[in-house]
């Protein structure tokens, strides 16, 4: 098991196929309406007519595959009034269904919308990094499934050494809030954080 498990996303390599999302649904046998991993399409820009009648465009689109980031400062853990949400010695943040009372405070606190409420059980559910796979020395299902290797997993420091310093892009929240174990390599059209140039175009999917 890793000491500080982390994800890396390469926005230039992600093609938005959602294979990671589907692999997660399959691995966790998730019911309709619950997603531990979501792939957002962020796009914007447009075409402008110039004086000579020609057009110039600044259209962009990219995808963000996001799950729980098993943060160093997990606001979900601090928000939980029953200690059901915990970060363990392996850095995995998970919820104990025996202690969860379904108040949803963790869901409201998390800037990544990672905790997912199961209306049938009245409990919160979330990504546990495929703990059983990690114990067998295998990567999480989402990472194994990504056909372009845009999604990677490993020790935080090893990922930094491989991919360099992480950058924040729109519409990701400020990492200072929770110190997520998420490293991001922007693609060529990435927009700066807090940019209002684009919007998430597939809200019904995520
Ligand atoms: S991403 Fe959200 S749910 Fe996951 S550890 Fe961070 S604050 Fe908690
Ligand atoms: S499987 Fe890989 S390429 Fe496809 S959406 Fe997920 S991260 Fe992007």
């Amino acid at each position: 098991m890793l000491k500080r498990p982390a994800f890396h996303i390469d926005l230039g390599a992600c093609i938005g196929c959602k294979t990671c999302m589907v692999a997660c649904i399959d691995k966790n046998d998730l019911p309709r309406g619950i997603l531990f991993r979501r792939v957002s399409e962020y796009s914007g820009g447009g075409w402008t007519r110039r004086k000579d009648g020609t057009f110039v465009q600044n259209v962009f689109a990219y995808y963000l595959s996001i799950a729980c980031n098993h943060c160093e400062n997990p606001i979900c853990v601090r928000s939980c009034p029953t200690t059901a949400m915990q970060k363990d010695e392996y850095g995995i943040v998970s919820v104990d269904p025996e202690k969860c009372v379904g108040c949803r405070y963790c869901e409201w606190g998390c800037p990544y919308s990672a905790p997912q409420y199961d209306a049938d059980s009245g409990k919160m559910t979330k990504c546990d990094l495929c703990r059983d796979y990690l114990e067998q020395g295998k990567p999480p299902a989402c990472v194994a499934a990504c056909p372009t290797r845009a999604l990677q997993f490993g020790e935080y420091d090893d990922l930094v050494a491989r991919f360099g310093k992480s950058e924040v892009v729109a519409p990701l929240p400020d990492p200072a809030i929770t110190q997520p174990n998420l490293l991001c390599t922007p693609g060529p059209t990435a927009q700066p954080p807090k940019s209002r140039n684009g919007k998430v175009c597939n809200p019904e999917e995520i």
Side-chain angles (χ1 to χ4, degrees):
M1 298 284 271
L2 307 177
K3 288 184 196 145
R4 187 176 170 184
F7 289 112
H8 172 259
I9 48 172
D10 180 347
L11 303 191
C14 179
I15 55 174
C17 64
K18 305 180 183 70
T19 308
C20 51
M21 198 169 100
V22 173
C24 177
I25 293 169
D26 190 40
K27 159 71 170 66
N28 294 293
D29 200 16
L30 298 180
R32 180 186 287 264
I34 293 182
L35 291 171
F36 293 171
R37 178 168 288 282
R38 298 172 306 283
V39 180
S40 307
E41 177 182 336
Y42 189 73
S43 61
W47 294 77
T48 307
R49 189 185 181 107
R50 294 188 284 212
K51 284 182 182 165
D52 64 3
T54 60
F55 287 82
V56 63
Q57 61 89 13
N58 62 352
V59 174
F60 65 87
Y62 54 90
Y63 303 92
L64 283 160
S65 173
I66 300 292
C68 173
N69 302 302
H70 302 273
C71 306
E72 291 303 288
N73 185 15
I75 200 167
C76 57
V77 172
R78 284 187 278 126
S79 305
C80 178
T82 69
T83 70
M85 193 71 81
Q86 288 291 331
K87 185 172 173 74
D88 71 14
E89 68 269 36
Y90 303 114
I92 300 173
V93 174
S94 57
V95 60
D96 179 348
E98 297 296 318
K99 290 184 177 176
C100 179
V101 293
C103 66
R104 306 179 75 162
Y105 288 178
C106 56
E107 179 188 14
W108 295 330
C110 174
Y112 301 92
S113 305
Q116 300 274 296
Y117 183 66
D118 182 343
D120 288 339
S121 68
K123 311 273 184 183
M124 199 54 66
T125 56
K126 70 181 291 301
C127 158
D128 69 351
L129 277 181
C130 295
R131 183 192 297 272
D132 52 341
Y133 282 8
L134 298 189
E135 286 170 352
Q136 298 166 40
K138 298 195 295 190
C142 54
V143 173
C146 177
T148 67
R149 298 293 174 257
L151 187 61
Q152 298 277 348
F153 173 78
E155 194 73 66
Y156 184 90
D157 289 341
D158 293 345
L159 292 176
V160 172
R162 280 176 70 190
F163 300 108
K165 193 170 164 287
S166 179
E167 294 185 38
V168 188
V169 302
L172 288 175
D174 184 347
I177 301 170
T178 65
Q179 295 175 257
N181 285 307
L182 173 71
L183 295 154
C184 176
T185 300
T189 62
Q191 302 295 303
K194 297 184 184 164
S195 164
R196 295 183 184 273
N197 294 338
K199 64 176 185 178
V200 174
C201 292
N202 60 339
E204 66 286 348
E205 281 186 325
I206 59 172

